[in-house]
Amino acid sequence: MVLLTGEKIRKSYGTRVIFDDIDFSIHEGDKIGVIGVNGCGKSTLLKIVAGVGSADSGEIITMNGMEIGYLSQDPLFVEGTTVLQQVFKGENPKLALVRTYEEAIGELAIHPEQTDLIAKVAKLTEEMNKEELWSLESEAKTILQRLGITDFTLTVETMSGGQRKRVALAAALIAPVDLLILDEPTNHIDHDTVEWLEAHLSKYSKALLMVTHDRYFLDRVANRTLELEKGNIYSYQANFTKFLEMKAEREELEAAGERKRQNFLRTELEWVRRGAKARTTKQKARLQRFDEISSIKAPEEKQNVELSSIGSRLGKKTIELIDVCKSYGDKKLIENFNYIILRDDRIGITGVNGSGKTTLLNMIVGNLEPDSGTIERGETVKIGIFAQENAEMDERISVLDYIKEVGEYIKMVDGKISASQLLEKFLFAPDMQRGPISMLSGGEKRRLYLARVLMESPNILFLDEPTNDLDIETLMILEHYLESFMGAVIVVSHDRYFLDKVANRMFAFVGNGQIKQYEGGYTDYHDAKMAEIPVYVAEKVQKTETPREKSQAPITKMSYKDQREFDTIGDVIADLEEKIEQCQKDMNACTTEYTKLQELSEKKESLELELETKMERWMELTELAEMIAENKGSNDK
């Protein structure tokens, strides 16, 4: 079923065309990732589809009664609203009813003696029962807890930017909509939360349209990809990895078509030059065909961000951390940390939000002093910092002048290039270079800032969340550049793919000021961490050796233990399902006791984990029983 169609959508900013009469559609069950370089219009497209932005021309046609949910990169918040009030602030009638109920409960807690409030809460409770909305509230609280928000009474103005983004994400996920639109949902959330969100959206039953630069996320969630390129839109029935293959095929077909066109034009041009005269209808048609084909616009030559290694010489002494400690109040972030940064180090830093990752970077580069311990830096050390927030830019000056502030030319391994040539390698065409910085999109400003950092020729490079707001194409070239970078690289990132590509050593903040070291990239770290979890959890992720693997001899009978388990496992599964159902009912009835709700949520998750393990075991035993029946049948013959 088609949920939404875009017809002849056109959008431009001044002389810059973003969409050139594009057509697209979204179907029921689609989980679409939108791909494209910064400035191609990804966020603009999402806003137009969501109805919070407008196109210059064209039309968005939606299914009757269709509900759309939208999470922007910078969600709006109303001061004074609590976490739950913010979650249920949408225009959907069901959300509005839950929000009204939450507000009434809040008022009653302040004025328990007011009879009109008691009556109001009673009436709203009746309506909630009638609409069966308790599960919606319970689900919202569960999602908030999984996103790291446990105090639902906090007001939004007292929360950090990352916490507010997670509240907005919960509001988007809980909304009963037909199409959910998410703009950078993985930004500023830690790895564990991203993995939970990945699993949640993989099971999401409604249509999904999203922009994210997390390639693992796109691979595991998306079943369709829309690519925006030079004002056009291309649709691929594929996740990210398959999209790369299909895009290469499309570009090869376009190139082959252009070669055929050029060959035809050369042949026809020779015919015209020989003095062919348009005396016959056939000759006139041939000339007309020549004119038509020669007027076809050739595919633009693909530009890439290509940058050979830039860096200055790094001496023997780099940066040494000796017994470094840092706390904020009673919260211990780093305790007695020791490390010597090696000349070719590739270090990835991971940990939950607020654990101290950026604090460690700020101390190493000298922006923050440790409480105790020392940090020694070698004389030849030249630090480059690509921070979470762009360095202050005078947006009135041109893009080229911003880079020229560092220098007119830059030395590369393979020669010297001008500031303008460097910008072209970063996909800033000459007309964009002459324009003011204020005309750039947020992602383009990040790319410009990265170009400036690299132009300063650092020999130790610090990247703090470099993948936020950078397009995938730029990320891939940055990854390639870092492979040949002549110096050390230290990265704080929530992008698992980027860490796998760049890091060969991981520092994990594990709590109470401790930083644990793992060899390898993110996947190696994740596997090692999983191996450290308790046995009762590890049993779930380990493959159970089946009797078939133990012996290749035909099996004609179950062992006593297996037979007994097979006879009883159905009852065990039914019992677990009943317990999960009761747990959900208890959660629905628990509206204000947040501690109890959290306990119930953890209990339910544990039961679901046990149920999943039992179901896997039931499948193994069923396969074994079928194999025994087959073996007996063969023997009877």
Side-chain angles (χ1 to χ4, degrees):
M1 180 191 296
V2 177
L3 299 178
L4 179 146
T5 302
E7 295 182 352
K8 301 294 181 186
I9 304 298
R10 184 176 179 82
K11 183 71 178 179
S12 61
Y13 293 103
T15 58
R16 186 178 177 187
V17 177
I18 306 299
F19 307 135
D20 191 7
D21 291 341
I22 62 173
D23 298 317
F24 60 91
S25 60
I26 299 174
H27 299 77
E28 194 174 23
D30 276 348
K31 293 180 181 177
I32 303 170
V34 182
I35 301 286
V37 300
N38 291 135
C40 71
K42 297 186 296 293
S43 292
T44 300
L45 178 66
L46 263 57
K47 289 176 182 176
I48 292 172
V49 173
V52 298
S54 60
D56 297 337
S57 61
E59 186 178 10
I60 297 290
I61 305 165
T62 61
M63 179 183 70
N64 287 338
M66 181 175 170
E67 293 283 351
I68 298 176
Y70 172 60
L71 172 70
S72 72
Q73 287 194 45
D74 300 301
L76 297 176
F77 297 91
V78 179
E79 287 193 10
T81 56
T82 66
V83 169
L84 279 176
Q85 288 169 353
Q86 185 68 36
V87 167
F88 292 117
K89 69 178 178 59
E91 295 180 3
N92 187 284
K94 291 185 178 181
L95 293 184
L97 178 56
V98 179
R99 181 187 179 189
T100 304
Y101 172 79
E102 286 295 336
E103 289 173 346
I105 286 289
E107 290 177 30
L108 188 60
I110 300 170
H111 306 289
E113 73 287 349
Q114 292 191 8
T115 55
D116 57 333
L117 275 177
I118 296 172
K120 182 179 180 181
V121 169
K123 184 179 178 183
L124 287 169
T125 302
E126 185 180 341
E127 289 184 45
M128 290 275 284
N129 286 330
K130 183 181 177 182
E131 295 290 336
E132 298 180 345
L133 295 180
W134 297 109
S135 59
L136 190 64
E137 184 185 16
S138 172
E139 186 182 352
K141 292 172 181 176
T142 301
I143 287 174
L144 283 164
Q145 288 171 338
R146 294 308 302 262
L147 293 173
I149 307 295
T150 55
D151 187 349
F152 309 138
T153 62
L154 287 174
T155 53
V156 291
E157 65 269 19
T158 64
M159 306 177 80
S160 68
Q163 287 175 316
R164 287 199 296 269
K165 180 69 181 279
R166 292 197 290 277
V167 170
L169 179 56
L173 294 175
I174 196 63
V177 297
D178 302 293
L179 170 64
L180 178 59
I181 300 174
L182 303 175
D183 197 351
E184 296 293 359
T186 61
N187 276 5
H188 310 296
I189 58 178
D190 58 66
H191 294 135
D192 290 342
T193 307
V194 170
E195 288 175 4
W196 171 82
L197 181 61
E198 208 172 71
H200 182 81
L201 291 178
S202 295
K203 300 173 185 174
Y204 190 71
S205 61
K206 303 299 183 181
L208 181 65
L209 180 68
M210 59 184 170
V211 169
T212 178
H213 300 138
D214 188 319
R215 285 156 284 182
Y216 281 152
F217 193 89
L218 285 170
D219 252 356
R220 294 163 186 171
V221 176
N223 58 23
R224 189 174 160 212
T225 300
L226 290 180
E227 181 191 20
L228 297 175
E229 186 176 50
K230 298 182 177 68
N232 299 316
I233 191 167
Y234 302 93
S235 177
Y236 307 83
Q237 204 68 37
N239 64 3
F240 177 72
T241 299
K242 187 65 177 175
F243 148 74
L244 291 177
E245 297 173 12
M246 295 174 73
K247 179 181 179 181
E249 292 171 3
R250 175 180 67 80
E251 290 177 342
E252 179 56 36
L253 286 172
E254 287 179 351
E258 177 59 16
R259 287 193 295 269
K260 288 180 182 178
R261 188 177 77 95
Q262 292 297 335
N263 288 336
F264 168 80
L265 291 176
R266 276 193 295 270
T267 303
E268 294 300 286
L269 191 58
E270 278 299 315
W271 177 76
V272 172
R273 283 173 177 168
R274 285 199 302 267
K277 297 179 181 179
R279 290 176 300 190
T280 68
T281 302
K282 185 175 181 180
Q283 288 170 326
K284 286 180 182 178
R286 188 169 178 179
L287 286 170
Q288 185 178 355
R289 186 176 175 223
F290 174 79
D291 289 338
E292 289 173 353
I293 293 180
S294 62
S295 66
I296 294 173
K297 188 177 179 182
E300 291 188 36
E301 189 176 342
K302 183 176 172 60
Q303 287 182 295
N304 285 315
V305 183
E306 293 178 352
L307 196 61
S308 57
S309 183
I310 306 172
S312 51
R313 189 186 70 83
L314 182 59
K316 288 185 177 179
K317 185 170 183 179
T318 57
I319 300 176
E320 184 174 0
L321 292 84
I322 306 164
D323 293 329
V324 171
C325 298
K326 189 68 182 178
S327 300
Y328 285 104
D330 296 332
K331 187 174 183 180
K332 193 181 295 182
L333 296 181
I334 301 164
E335 183 175 24
N336 297 328
F337 181 61
N338 294 275
Y339 189 75
I340 298 174
I341 295 175
L342 305 177
R343 294 172 66 177
D344 59 350
D345 257 343
R346 297 291 186 271
I347 298 170
I349 302 177
T350 185
V352 299
N353 290 331
S355 59
K357 303 183 297 294
T358 300
T359 298
L360 177 61
L361 253 61
N362 281 329
M363 287 194 294
I364 297 174
V365 302
N367 293 338
L368 187 66
E369 290 296 320
D371 296 339
S372 61
T374 57
I375 299 176
E376 299 177 0
R377 302 173 187 87
E379 291 183 3
T380 60
V381 167
K382 188 174 182 182
I383 290 173
I385 306 169
F386 186 61
Q388 287 195 46
E389 301 295 333
N390 293 348
E392 187 174 341
M393 294 178 173
D394 182 353
E395 298 200 357
R396 297 169 297 178
I397 67 172
S398 71
V399 170
L400 181 59
D401 286 340
Y402 176 74
I403 293 294
K404 280 185 174 180
E405 288 177 352
V406 179
E408 292 278 349
Y409 292 90
I410 181 171
K411 288 183 179 179
M412 313 284 286
V413 170
D414 51 0
K416 187 170 70 171
I417 63 171
S418 68
S420 179
Q421 287 172 318
L422 175 74
L423 284 170
E424 284 193 39
K425 289 178 180 291
F426 273 82
L427 302 186
F428 291 103
D431 59 331
M432 292 181 71
Q433 294 180 27
R434 293 189 292 270
I437 293 173
S438 60
M439 293 297 292
L440 301 180
S441 69
E444 287 170 327
K445 288 174 186 175
R446 288 291 284 171
R447 196 194 316 148
L448 178 63
Y449 173 42
L450 175 63
R452 177 159 169 156
V453 170
L454 297 181
M455 190 172 182
E456 291 172 345
S457 303
N459 50 36
I460 299 185
L461 188 58
F462 293 86
L463 306 171
D464 193 0
E465 295 295 354
T467 63
N468 287 352
D469 302 319
L470 279 182
D471 58 77
I472 289 175
E473 188 170 341
T474 304
L475 286 176
M476 291 168 74
I477 303 303
L478 174 60
E479 289 159 2
H480 179 70
Y481 164 75
L482 291 176
E483 288 176 5
S484 60
F485 178 70
M486 307 295 287
V489 179
I490 296 91
V491 182
V492 170
S493 179
H494 291 136
D495 189 321
R496 299 157 296 170
Y497 191 102
F498 187 79
L499 288 173
D500 269 342
K501 291 286 286 185
V502 172
N504 55 27
R505 179 168 297 143
M506 295 290 297
F507 289 162
F509 281 72
V510 296
N512 200 31
Q514 300 303 306
I515 301 174
K516 194 166 183 178
Q517 182 175 320
Y518 296 84
E519 294 305 305
Y522 174 79
T523 299
D524 298 305
Y525 147 73
H526 183 269
D527 291 346
K529 187 178 73 168
M530 289 294 289
E532 296 168 0
I533 61 179
V535 175
Y536 70 91
V537 177
E539 284 176 356
K540 175 186 176 295
V541 296
Q542 290 172 354
K543 186 178 182 295
T544 304
E545 185 184 29
T546 65
R548 185 194 293 265
E549 293 168 327
K550 287 181 180 179
S551 172
Q552 294 301 316
I555 301 172
T556 58
K557 185 179 180 182
M558 278 191 187
S559 68
Y560 173 79
K561 183 181 176 182
D562 285 347
Q563 185 63 56
R564 184 174 175 81
E565 185 180 6
F566 187 51
D567 292 340
T568 59
I569 197 167
D571 293 335
V572 173
I573 289 172
D575 183 55
L576 284 169
E577 288 174 337
E578 286 179 9
K579 287 179 178 178
I580 291 170
E581 186 179 351
Q582 183 58 49
C583 205
Q584 182 63 58
K585 289 178 181 178
D586 293 342
M587 289 171 69
N588 295 344
C590 182
T591 57
T592 56
E593 298 177 52
Y594 304 123
T595 304
K596 184 179 178 183
L597 180 65
Q598 188 166 358
E599 290 173 359
L600 288 167
S601 178
E602 290 172 358
K603 180 182 177 183
K604 183 186 174 199
E605 188 175 339
S606 175
L607 288 168
E608 287 173 338
L609 184 64
E610 187 179 352
L611 176 62
E612 187 176 342
T613 304
K614 291 296 183 186
M615 289 297 293
E616 288 175 0
R617 180 59 177 153
W618 173 77
M619 289 175 68
E620 289 172 2
L621 291 169
T622 301
E623 287 177 6
L624 179 59
E626 290 173 354
M627 182 176 65
I628 289 171
E630 288 175 8
N631 290 339
K632 281 185 177 180
S634 299
N635 291 339
D636 291 341
K637 290 178 183 178

